[in-house]
Amino acid sequence: GAVVSQHPSWVICKSGTSVKIECRSLDFQATTMFWYRQFPKQSLMLMATSNEGSKATYEQGVEKDKFLINHASLTLSTLTVTSAHPEDSSFYICSARQGSNEKLFFGSGTQLSVL
Amino acid sequence: RKEVEQDPGPFNVPEGATVAFNCTYSNSASQSFFWYRQDCRKEPKLLMSVYSSGNEDGRFTAQLNRASQYISLLIRDSKLSDSATYLCVVIRGGGNKLTFGTGTQLKVEL
């Protein structure tokens, strides 16, 4: 089956630093990638949708200047949390879709802890 | 009202029991429905799609009730390994966006 690789799995960083999370589709071309955030005991909340070669579409309440998304190729999307603060600590997961196929393939997630 | 609602549980059941979860959705334009399983601090994994006619996969049965706008998941002969959070996922018709429920936590005990 399709594989989506997400790195890093864990990040612990100081407040004010920026953190980049990578999401790669390993055996298919991901025309659309999604970035989610999940706080403990809560549902996955969609942050943004990105299509290769175009600007990401952010959900209401998500700051686009704080959460920078780049989808420069059909196999790679990155999420950069800029000037991270403790309230940004969360579980971030990417998912990818090939074409119009409804099936989503998820990365393994990144646990971000900001001290 | 949330677009997708689930009872968070936890549901504690003995091994071998049959357990069922419901999930309600508020948007009547919803077209596609799925159950995902998520283990603690791991990514969600697709368990099964939910079809109007109902569908079964081994010990798991999913059903859709469009009139009442809910989907259900039935697990028979529960195993310890079934312990996880079960997420209900809904896609609106023609849409791109998946909406996740908060999940129902299941704990299967000896």
Side-chain angles (χ1 to χ4, degrees):
Chain A
V3 176
V4 174
S5 174
Q6 183 174 343
H7 294 283
S9 299
W10 291 85
V11 180
I12 301 174
C13 67
K14 292 181 180 179
S15 186
T17 59
S18 293
V19 175
K20 181 186 280 189
I21 302 170
E22 288 191 352
C23 181
R24 291 180 185 274
S25 57
L26 298 183
D27 54 359
F28 68 102
Q29 293 185 327
T31 48
T32 306
M33 286 194 174
F34 304 89
W35 287 96
Y36 295 85
R37 180 168 55 181
Q38 186 178 33
F39 293 106
K41 298 189 178 182
Q42 294 188 22
S43 61
L44 276 75
M45 296 301 296
L46 180 65
M47 299 175 67
T49 302
S50 72
N51 293 297
E52 184 266 337
S54 60
K55 288 184 178 180
T57 302
Y58 289 81
E59 294 299 302
Q60 193 173 12
V62 178
E63 300 174 57
K64 61 180 182 180
D65 294 329
K66 181 169 182 62
F67 299 99
L68 302 179
I69 291 173
N70 184 289
H71 192 168
S73 78
L74 284 170
T75 59
L76 174 64
S77 177
T78 62
L79 167 68
T80 301
V81 183
T82 61
S83 187
H85 290 283
E87 58 266 29
D88 297 323
S89 299
S90 185
F91 190 55
Y92 293 85
I93 307 179
C94 69
S95 65
R97 166 186 283 170
Q98 183 180 18
S100 59
N101 192 331
E102 284 186 339
K103 191 171 182 180
L104 281 187
F105 302 97
F106 283 88
S108 54
T110 299
Q111 181 64 49
L112 171 64
S113 297
V114 184
L115 305 176
Chain B
R1 183 185 173 187
K2 291 181 181 177
E3 190 167 344
V4 180
E5 292 201 69
Q6 293 181 253
D7 182 339
F11 286 66
N12 298 295
V13 302
E15 197 174 17
T18 296
V19 61
F21 313 132
N22 278 348
C23 166
T24 58
Y25 60 94
S26 61
N27 194 316
S28 59
S30 300
Q31 288 292 324
S32 302
F33 309 89
F34 307 89
W35 283 103
Y36 277 75
R37 171 196 167 127
Q38 186 177 27
D39 293 288
C40 188
R41 294 179 186 256
K42 297 284 182 67
E43 75 278 18
K45 294 185 178 177
L46 180 64
L47 183 63
M48 58 198 306
S49 304
V50 186
Y51 303 119
S52 297
S53 55
N55 47 301
E56 186 174 311
D57 182 3
R59 298 181 293 109
F60 300 85
T61 301
Q63 293 198 310
L64 166 64
N65 185 318
R66 287 192 183 274
S68 300
Q69 294 185 193
Y70 76 85
I71 66 173
S72 64
L73 176 68
L74 180 80
I75 305 175
R76 289 181 297 277
D77 189 22
S78 302
K79 310 289 184 191
L80 294 176
S81 57
D82 293 334
S83 298
T85 296
Y86 290 85
L87 302 170
C88 167
V89 179
V90 173
I91 302 179
R92 290 187 200 174
N96 206 22
K97 179 180 170 181
L98 275 69
T99 302
F100 286 81
T102 52
T104 298
Q105 189 179 8
L106 172 66
K107 295 181 179 179
V108 182
E109 303 164 332
L110 287 172

